[in-house]
């Protein structure tokens, strides 16, 4: 519609998150970033590199190794007028802060009968693929999506990496953002003035009529690759990027499945009790009569992620396993 | 130090007020126990009987813009902070007129007007929050203080450690108030801490710390005033260990196997109201009539609170999933 | 088969757990119980009352409020030759120990390439119903069932309360046992010499041909009550007690659903991301073509559990809601 | 105290052995860095260069029945404890001949034969385990000790606090070894602790604690021997803070923005091998030939380890879900 094409810039997922943090801190004097090694080190995944020099140690706040206390402090600061962005270095360490997230952040608004909301954003890296082995490769965003009171986001694209953080900062509720470790180096172009994006809606990243591949975050590229493969076999897969894991955009899911009549849910969590189980159950409840085949799940194997590359990759969803599951729904 | 903020003024009005506040708590709690037995109050109920001097003493030092964070044994703190007994009692009942709309109950008292941030049923769970509210005040250059109450049992939790360090490291305006009543449920202090002088723990974070007789409301007030002045002046956090005793069971379920009845009896005369009352009488500061007037007034207030709660209404079941998330402004 | 009827005793769920602990400590000098207030107080839910006098403070070991350290100490003691039974007072506090459970207990055998197993039993109370409000009413056993390396048990009967603990102590893996708070007072009769029971298998608590109600723990009685109601309407519901939440006994689930062709899964966790979602997804995968209606879930509402009784009860699964869901699967 | 267990015997054999062990670690780590750059090793790699005196010194005091628990920076501990370099290097590669069957990698070195209980990539995560292994020894009346290594960064974690208290409260046989290398990733000690003298923290649990020059292998050994004798005698846990410095980045990803190159250079001559070597030379305790012999032997050992790892095999993908649970005996 716009006659003048908006300026576009080359960037990475990592830079997009950094740009969003910079925008947020520039726009709102109450916003600040807090977490382990976000300052002097520049962030475990280099997301916040340079921001300490720009904003100073009050607003790019290095914390001790105290996940429970600094997440709790983020909640308290949010209660008392600030706009904290707390970085938990990775989801693996967030277990140490889970009590604060579940029993305080998610619960305070309710327990106080609506008096005290917690406008807090928590960012964490998630996922496997870097051969970090059993204690450093969890994908636990599905757990967080279980908790009423939270919003859970999983940006899979550069636009979303930039825009979802800004969107989250407009939300008066605690919002968790999961950034998949394999995405940080992803390159691409976005509008120079890219800003907040809508959260809460899933996106159809590729339209198709034969089967719906439903995924998010680090698995999106794998699903897209699977769709590519399937296209060569004349199977047109529709790919849904959930984007928001809580609340789920069931309308988009059901709308697509009602058209394609087949679905594969892809999720890097362990299969048993995965987010994919929830999506599958939702389809069961809302689109059972539309289905021409059982919904399939492609998740991680039931094993703590092993260190060697061949075993790690074998444990994770792959384009081949996704494509195979899609074919199976078509009886091929 | 000559700062008038520091020394409690022991005017007759002031001592009467201290007594009155403690009596308000005591009678409220006694009523709660009765109402629990009558099944008007349910869930876990932890009363503050015997520990009233701490909440009352500390609150004297706080201003309206300060923040209070407490535990599941927080009725006393709420009352001393100014949460109306009416809405507090309605909360005990679970009525929607309650200060947390009835959603929270005894362990989750919240009140925005008095900046009472709960009520927290996870032992130690309030300490990181207090670090955060104080951080927000510090970053916004407000002279406010957060008073954070917790039991000596909480001192064993990792969150205690992390919170002490953060508060001290960042020199945040927190007044940590440890209510050392010698037991965590049925676990005696000596069975839970290798260092039983809790204030020494605070010192290990280079945080100024002291121990005070938690049965002496004037001593608590004096310590709080001094600490709050220092905190407001930017000295960073301060730790007060108040030595006290819980006269009742941990909760209404406690069969008190872990302590002798005799031990409780020995403590009773040292109770904060008992002692303060005796002192006021001995020194002829308050007349018997004044005591009577307080009791009469408080009894009426408690009755009014019960009436308010009784008259309260149940939130409609249709509203069940309200208050879970707020809608963003668009 | 046995000509002489075995002696039976009246007991409660609480006493059955206590008897099992007593048996375990008597039989194995390496077994001990450790947790907050298990000794002098007698246990938060009075399970261990009397055991301190019987076994002394070394083996009925009161711990400070330090969930992470004493659960981790249980893991370490198990690694080094002891047979600890760790009581985490309630699942609500287990969040503080979750890092130890997930990153150590569940993972050590794998990370060590099979060298170090963790023969540890962790017991916790779970569930709502006592008006304990938002921070004290969680049902998170579904989360634990997500974790490879753990076994997860949920005794719903007195036999199981007694026998599963003893069974768990024969397992060389970390086993979590969830005791629903509303069951402790349940009375009944069991064989005087009741001992270890098999774990890993679900039980059909009531046979039926029209619809399968799948549940566990505190919801079993509700499902049984619903089945009772349905029977009056000539709907014969089969009731499955999962008993073991990880690994799931899918054979029993699928076998039943293949016969009844309809299922309702009942679980006290919040619906989104519930264990019920996993069961539903499993049925989707393995019995889709057998189904005559979509599998339904009856779970807790998406709200932190409220304090007042009417709201608490409204938030939880109830016989009526279960029966209604069952009827719906039959188009009634 | 005249117990022979306490004083290190500075025989020529012993000092040569101390040096040799430190050199083994150093050369192994240097090889790891090289192999990382050649992409033979992947994941996170944290090397121990500069800190060798601690693992080597402490291990001198341990017996085979003792237990060792370390962190993700644990190659040095494994080597000093006696884990063969071959299986250790195969673990770095992820080969099934590795000491953890290749499943663990650099951060998860385990070895049952030497009672090496890991390798733990969660900061602070090993401390509760150490409390537990020590508890098991104490309950079984075995005279064994658990040596638990961790960085100064871990001291801020709640698990540190809870573990210190439990160990001290229950008088458990744990030797806590804090490797204070002044940084936790890029966070300097002063930015993470209000009390930067870490051993003072231990004292706040009434745990005997001391600080030792972690660059001096003999000093570390002496402290460890003394502590272990006391622990075995039933004195309860002991805490040693070893002051040291990490010569390399935190991991292979570290761009070291947080410290000056000059600072690192200033530390280098104070390195444990550098200093001990200089002292041995100055005092003519070891001849140049002995140094050479050690280097030659160690170089061969490292090469053999690499060859072993290279020759190792990949665990079949079909075995992916093995080692997750053990089957119960029936
Ligand atoms: C994390 C956590 N663990 C356990 C409990 C159960 N519990 C509630 S109160 C309490 C004792 C706390 O004692 P203390 O901190 O001394 O406070 P007091 O009750 O004496 O005021 C325990 C164990 C809890 N609520 N939270
Ligand atoms: C609980 C937890 N939080 C964060 C991390 C990420 N991390 C790994 S090592 C490290 C620094 C630890 O420093 P220190 O304890 O001093 O040990 P050092 O690396 O200096 O030997 C951090 C923050 C982690 N592994 N675990
Ligand atoms: Mg107490
Ligand atoms: Mg360090």
């Amino acid at each position: 519609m716009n006659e003048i094409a908006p300026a576009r810039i080359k960037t990475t997922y990592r830079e997009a998150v950094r740009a969003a943090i910079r925008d947020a801190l520039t726009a709102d004097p109450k916003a600040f970033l807090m977490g382990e090694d976000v300052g002097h080190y520049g962030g475990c995944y280099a997301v916040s590199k340079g921001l300490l020099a720009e904003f100073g140690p009050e607003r790019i706040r290095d914390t001790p190794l105290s996940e429970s206390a600094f997440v709790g402090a983020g909640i308290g600061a949010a209660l008392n007028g600030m706009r904290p962005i707390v970085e938990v270095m990775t989801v693996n360490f967030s277990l140490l802060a889970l009590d604060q997230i579940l029993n305080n952040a998610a619960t305070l608004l309710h327990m106080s009968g609506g008096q005290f909301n917690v406008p807090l954003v928590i960012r964490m890296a998630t996922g496997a693929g870097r051969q970090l082995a059993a204690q450093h490769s969890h994908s636990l965003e599905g757990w967080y999506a279980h908790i009423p009171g939270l919003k859970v986001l999983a940006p899979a694209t550069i636009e979303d990496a930039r825009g979802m953080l800004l969107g989250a900062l407009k939300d008066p509720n605690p919002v968790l953002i999961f950034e998949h470790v394999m995405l940080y180096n992803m390159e691409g172009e976005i509008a120079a003035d890219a800003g907040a994006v809508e959260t809460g809606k899933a996106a159809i990243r590729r339209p198709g009529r034969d089967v719906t591949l439903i995924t998010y975050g680090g698995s999106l590229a794998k699903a897209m690759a699977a769709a590519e493969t399937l296209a060569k076999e004349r199977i047109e897969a529709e790919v849904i990027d959930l984007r928001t894991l809580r609340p789920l955009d069931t309308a988009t899911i059901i709308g697509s499945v009602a058209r394609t009549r087949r679905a594969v849910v892809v999720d890097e969590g362990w299969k048993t009790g995965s987010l994919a189980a929830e999506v599958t159950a939702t389809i069961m409840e809302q689109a059972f009569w539309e289905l021409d085949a059982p919904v399939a799940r492609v998740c991680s194997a039931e094993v703590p992620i092993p260190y060697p590359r061949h075993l790690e990759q074998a444990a994770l969803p792959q384009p081949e396993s996704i494509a195979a599951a899609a074919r199976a729904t078509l009886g091929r | 130090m000559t700062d008038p903020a520091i020394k409690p003024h022991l005017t007759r009005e002031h001592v009467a007020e201290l007594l009155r506040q403690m009596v308000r708590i005591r009678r409220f709690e006694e009523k709660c126990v009765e109402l629990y037995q009558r099944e008007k109050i349910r869930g876990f109920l932890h009363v503050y009987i015997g520990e009233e001097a701490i909440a009352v003493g500390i609150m004297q030092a706080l201003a309206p813009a300060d923040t209070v964070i407490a535990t599941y044994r927080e009725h006393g703190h709420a009352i001393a902070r100014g949460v109306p007994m009416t809405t507090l009692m309605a909360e005990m009942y679970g009525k929607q007129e309650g200060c947390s709309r009835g959603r929270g109950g005894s362990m989750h008292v919240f009140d925005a007007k008095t900046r009472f941030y709960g009520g927290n049923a996870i032992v130690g769970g309030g300490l990181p929050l207090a670090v955060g509210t104080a951080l927000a005040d510090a970053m916004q250059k407000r002279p406010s203080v957060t008073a954070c109450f917790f039991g000596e049992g909480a001192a064993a939790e990792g969150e205690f450690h992390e919170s002490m360090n953060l508060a001290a490291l960042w020199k945040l305006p927190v007044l940590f108030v440890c209510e050392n009543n010698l037991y965590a449920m049925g676990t005696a202090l000596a069975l839970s801490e290798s260092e039983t002088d809790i204030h020494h723990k605070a010192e290990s974070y280079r945080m100024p710390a002291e121990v005070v007789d938690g049965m002496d409301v004037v001593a608590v007030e004096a310590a709080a005033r001094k600490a709050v002045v220092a905190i407001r002046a930017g000295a960073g956090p301060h730790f007060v260990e108040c030595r006290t005793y819980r006269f009742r069971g941990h909760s209404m379920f406690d069969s008190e196997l872990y302590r002798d009845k005799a031990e409780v009896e020995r403590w009773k005369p040292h109770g904060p109201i008992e002692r303060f009352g005796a002192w006021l009488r001995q020194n002829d500061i308050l007349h018997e009539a004044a005591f009577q007037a307080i009791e009469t007034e408080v009894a009426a207030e408690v009755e009014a609170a019960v009436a308010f709660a009784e008259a309260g209404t149940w939130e409609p079941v249709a509203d069940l999933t309200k208050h879970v998330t707020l809608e963003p402004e668009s």
Side-chain angles (χ1 to χ4, degrees), chain A, chain B:
Chain A
M1 309 252 178
N2 207 329
E3 309 248 324
I4 304 152
R8 290 184 73 78
I9 49 165
K10 262 198 84 160
T11 186
T12 64
Y13 187 99
R14 170 182 292 108
E15 286 166 5
V17 178
R18 185 186 307 142
I21 298 171
R22 183 184 290 116
D23 288 355
L25 266 61
T26 305
D28 183 355
K30 308 235 149 124
F32 68 104
L33 177 71
M34 163 162 76
E36 290 162 8
D37 290 302
V38 297
H40 294 85
Y41 190 89
C44 176
Y45 288 104
V47 166
S48 48
K49 208 161 174 171
L51 297 181
L52 174 66
E54 206 170 328
F55 294 101
E58 279 269 304
R59 299 185 70 200
I60 303 292
R61 188 172 280 265
D62 277 326
T63 67
L65 276 144
S66 306
E67 285 80 3
S68 206
F70 73 74
V71 169
I75 300 168
L79 284 170
N80 199 11
M82 296 298 288
R83 223 355 177 150
I85 304 170
V86 172
E87 176 177 310
V88 177
M89 197 180 273
T90 77
V91 69
N92 310 286
F93 317 141
S94 75
L95 299 176
L96 293 164
L98 193 44
D99 172 61
Q100 286 296 327
I101 297 173
L102 171 49
N103 280 321
N104 284 335
T107 313
L108 278 162
L109 179 69
H110 177 263
M111 293 192 300
S112 66
Q115 289 175 91
F116 293 122
N117 67 308
V118 181
L120 171 68
V121 172
I122 303 178
R123 297 174 40 242
M124 2 185 160
T126 189
R130 299 177 69 111
Q131 291 189 246
L132 303 183
Q135 295 180 325
H136 271 53
S137 302
H138 298 310
S139 291
L140 297 171
E141 51 278 3
W143 270 9
Y144 287 99
H146 179 53
I147 307 176
L150 300 183
K151 307 267 181 95
V152 180
L153 311 182
T157 65
I158 296 176
E159 269 93 356
D160 278 352
R162 176 146 185 178
M164 279 188 164
L165 176 56
L166 296 169
L169 287 165
K170 296 185 182 171
D171 198 307
N173 302 292
V175 181
L176 272 52
I177 305 183
F178 289 90
E179 301 162 8
H180 196 287
V181 290
M182 299 306 286
L183 294 178
Y184 285 122
N185 291 334
M186 182 169 72
E187 296 182 347
E189 273 197 356
I190 57 169
D193 63 349
V197 298
E198 194 185 8
T199 62
K201 286 249 170 288
I204 296 177
R205 296 292 180 199
R206 176 186 176 118
R209 54 159 198 266
D210 297 324
V211 56
T212 305
L213 309 181
I214 304 167
T215 190
Y216 66 89
S219 299
L220 175 60
K222 296 177 179 180
M224 293 296 275
E228 207 59 53
T229 305
L230 292 166
K232 294 191 193 118
E233 305 163 22
R234 295 210 249 156
I235 299 171
E236 290 304 328
E238 176 146 306
V239 179
I240 294 184
D241 172 4
L242 290 171
R243 299 180 69 245
T244 300
L245 309 185
R246 183 181 186 95
L248 278 175
D249 175 5
T250 47
T252 299
I253 297 170
I254 300 302
S256 173
V257 174
R259 275 185 282 106
T260 64
R261 310 184 75 85
R262 290 168 173 86
V264 176
V265 194
V266 184
D267 160 2
E268 210 179 286
W270 293 303
K271 186 173 179 183
T272 302
S274 54
L275 188 85
E278 176 58 33
V279 174
T280 303
T282 301
I283 296 173
M284 168 76 90
E285 289 164 342
Q286 299 187 30
F288 177 75
W289 301 109
E290 270 75 45
L291 289 177
D292 283 348
V295 176
R297 287 184 285 170
V298 179
C299 298
S300 282
E302 306 279 323
V303 59
I305 303 299
Y307 162 65
R309 185 167 170 80
H310 69 298
L311 293 180
E312 180 184 47
Q313 291 301 319
L316 303 177
Q318 298 297 353
E320 301 73 47
S321 49
I322 300 167
R327 276 182 216 110
T329 66
L330 286 144
R332 303 212 210 157
Chain B
M1 288 214 256
T2 52
D3 190 317
I6 290 180
K7 218 174 149 240
H9 295 284
L10 293 182
T11 60
R12 177 166 302 138
E13 286 69 37
H14 187 62
V15 296
E17 178 60 13
L18 291 175
L19 179 68
R20 196 178 73 88
Q21 293 295 356
M22 293 197 291
V23 171
R24 287 178 73 228
I25 297 172
R26 178 75 57 99
R27 302 297 167 244
F28 182 89
E29 295 290 53
E30 287 166 348
K31 181 58 78 178
C32 283
V33 169
E34 180 197 321
L35 290 165
Y36 197 91
Q37 282 148 354
R38 287 168 47 203
E39 303 193 7
K40 295 286 188 178
I41 302 178
R42 299 281 74 198
F44 284 156
L45 175 69
H46 312 85
V47 297
Y48 198 57
I49 293 175
E51 311 187 24
E52 298 90 344
I54 303 171
V56 172
I58 299 286
M59 296 304 171
Q60 305 307 313
L62 301 187
D66 293 332
T67 296
V68 179
I69 294 182
T71 68
Y72 46 85
R73 195 184 297 291
E74 87 283 32
H75 311 167
H77 310 86
I79 291 172
R81 178 62 178 171
V83 179
M85 241 188 232
T86 45
T87 61
L88 186 64
M89 189 60 91
E91 191 58 39
M92 301 296 136
Y93 275 62
K95 298 287 181 79
Q96 61 182 330
E97 292 76 11
C99 57
S100 309
R101 204 180 281 258
R103 294 266 170 156
S106 164
M107 302 199 287
H108 304 296
V109 168
F110 288 83
D111 186 62
K113 278 197 247 25
T114 56
R115 298 187 58 80
F116 195 81
Y117 280 77
N120 202 307
I122 303 297
V123 172
L127 280 86
L129 298 184
V131 170
T133 54
L135 175 63
D137 284 329
M139 289 184 79
Q140 292 171 88
K141 312 240 178 312
R142 294 187 294 225
S144 298
V145 166
T146 296
C148 177
F149 296 85
F150 52 91
E152 88 297 338
E157 290 280 7
E159 293 197 323
F160 169 87
H161 174 70
E162 296 185 2
S163 300
M164 288 294 121
N165 183 44
L166 262 197
L169 181 70
W170 292 345
K171 297 214 180 313
L172 298 178
V174 190
L175 177 63
F176 289 106
V177 184
C178 178
E179 305 183 316
N180 180 357
N181 61 10
L182 301 176
Y183 292 93
M185 281 185 69
T187 302
L189 180 54
L191 293 179
S192 73
E193 290 288 350
S194 60
E195 168 60 85
T196 51
D197 272 331
I198 306 287
H199 61 289
H200 286 337
K201 293 183 176 288
E203 286 161 3
S204 77
Y205 306 92
R206 300 192 178 237
M207 192 187 296
E210 72 202 278
V211 61
V212 57
D213 181 350
M215 293 303 202
D216 178 349
V217 65
V218 175
V220 174
E221 180 182 346
R225 285 190 181 272
K226 206 173 121 198
V228 166
V229 166
I231 296 169
R232 281 201 219 286
H238 195 101
F239 192 97
V240 186
E241 175 191 347
C242 302
R243 298 256 169 95
T244 183
Y245 195 77
R246 145 165 83 60
F247 287 177
R248 302 285 180 126
H250 168 72
S251 73
M252 298 302 290
F253 290 108
D254 184 355
S255 40
E256 292 186 65
L257 304 172
Y258 51 85
R259 65 180 184 185
D260 277 348
K261 289 253 173 311
E263 179 183 300
V264 183
E265 289 311 315
R266 273 199 308 281
W267 271 94
K268 285 246 167 105
H270 304 288
I273 297 180
E274 292 74 0
R275 240 174 70 182
F276 195 51
W279 180 79
L280 292 173
R281 280 187 175 93
Q282 265 159 30
N283 294 281
D284 236 5
I285 302 173
L286 278 198
H287 296 298
E288 209 48 46
F291 284 93
Q292 266 315 322
I294 287 175
E295 291 289 354
T296 310
E297 182 208 313
V298 169
E301 189 185 9
V302 170
E303 281 320 308
V306 173
F308 180 85
E310 287 284 344
T313 55
W314 302 113
E315 195 175 357
V317 169
D319 289 355
L320 177 62
T321 55
K322 267 198 177 175
H323 319 303
V324 180
T325 51
L326 275 186
E327 280 321 293
E329 292 150 42
S330 50

